[in-house]
Amino acid sequence: MSEPIIGITMGDPSGIGPEIIVKAFADPAAPQRQSVVIGDAGLLRRSAGLLGLNLEIIEIDTPAQARFAPHRINVISVSAFAADFPSGHLSAEAGGAAFEYVRRATELALDGQIQAVATAPLNKEAMHLAGFLYPGHTEILAELTATKNYAMMLVAPDLRVIHVSTHVSLMEATQRVTRERELTVIRLADDALRRLGLSRRKIAVAGLNPHAGENGLFGREEIERIAPAINDAQQEGIDVSGPWPGDTVFMKARRGDFDMVVVQYHDQGHIPIKLLGFDTGVNVTVGLPFFRTSVDHGTAFDIAGTGVADHASMEAAIALAFALL
């Protein structure tokens, strides 16, 4: 097999996705890699023109037709949509287009035509207006691939976290802290670290409650659900410990004590990652038949079309997708 190809979905066409993609391809400091964009060639040309970038944007039907060269973008256009989406405008049409880009990329990955997917941001409200009522990329991909056991991992330069739950209320997040789910996420964390090439795979599990429950004083989830799952994973040979208090575990991980932190709910993991790596953080869906990476920011409608969007997270997502292969 030749070198792997990744597919890059364009995200919401009215957001900053087209802009950060063309910037990533034009960046002279970024290594040239084999990748194809699934989206809209016309919108990419519009963004390149806005920024004054000299890029060759070629439409293809399949990844096999791609010819890779510096400053060339191979695009598989999803032609059911027009190329005149106004920048910064919330619409059902744009939300539907973003969903179709992800659907097409998933088909190509499951068919083996691409080996990983990197996604530009979609807008949940726009997608919901189009009738696709998903909380986000993770849940879309899980359904399209019929994947039961999956998790969101966030990667910053000094920290990696993986979530037991993500886009649910705090009440529901507490209910999702079960022995079975904890063990599943610990296993996914260990496998992801192995895929990243780490010889040491030391995992910490954060507690749900303040002070990790303080021996039952502030809750019994750590005693009855989290600790038993940690013990189960240890019996399988996984290097995992905890539950650790959430107010100190990230500091320990950042100084090198741990390679990954299992977090119990959305903000417990997102806050430290965005504090440490807002511009370079990458979102990874683990457990799918293929790896999916993504920028860790939104569509930024307020700056879409102005030319000021930072492409660092997009470039980091592309680089990590290749690193995981």
Side-chain angles (χ1 to χ4, degrees), residues 95-152:
F99 178 84
E100 293 302 333
Y101 304 154
V102 176
R103 194 208 304 265
R104 180 64 180 135
T106 302
E107 292 171 350
L108 293 171
L110 291 176
D111 194 42
Q113 296 186 61
I114 57 177
Q115 283 64 57
V117 176
T119 59
L122 52 72
N123 184 281
K124 298 178 183 65
E125 185 178 356
M127 187 173 63
H128 289 185
L129 288 173
F132 300 108
L133 305 180
Y134 297 91
H137 271 113
T138 302
E139 294 79 10
I140 295 172
L141 291 162
E143 181 169 307
L144 291 176
T145 60
T147 300
K148 179 181 179 182
N149 294 323
Y150 59 91
M152 177 190 292

Side-chain angles (χ1 to χ4, degrees), residues 6-9 102 105-106 109 115-122 124 136-142 145 150-155 166-167 195 270 282-297 317-318 320-322 324-325:
I6 70 162
I8 303 171
T9 60
V102 176
T106 302
Q115 283 64 57
V117 176
T119 59
L122 52 72
K124 298 178 183 65
H137 271 113
T138 302
E139 294 79 10
I140 295 172
L141 291 162
T145 60
Y150 59 91
M152 177 190 292
M153 178 174 76
L154 300 179
V155 178
T166 50
H167 300 109
R195 295 288 294 270
H270 277 66
V282 178
N283 181 329
V284 185
T285 305
V286 295
L288 300 173
F290 52 88
F291 273 105
R292 168 258 175 174
T293 65
S294 180
V295 297
D296 191 31
H297 59 68
I318 296 169
L320 184 57
F322 279 96
L324 288 164
L325 295 176

